Amino acid sequence: MRALIAAAIGLAAAFALVLTMSAIGAPAGKTSPEPLLTTVPKHP
């Protein structure tokens, strides 16, 4: 019985965390002004 109560509490906590994160929303993303390096530099 204790395991069932612990599982229910854990499930409720996880559900509350998901609802909180979805209510806050995604952070505003920004792109980097510098391009990514796609080639390996020459070795000396």
Side-chain angles (χ1 to χ4, degrees):
M1 190 66 179
R2 287 183 189 176
L4 185 60
I5 293 171
I9 291 172
L11 185 61
F15 189 67
L17 182 64
V18 168
L19 283 180
T20 304
M21 294 302 288
S22 62
I24 292 173
K30 295 181 180 178
T31 58
S32 174
E34 298 179 11
L36 295 175
L37 296 176
T38 56
T39 57
V40 179
K42 284 187 173 183
H43 292 289

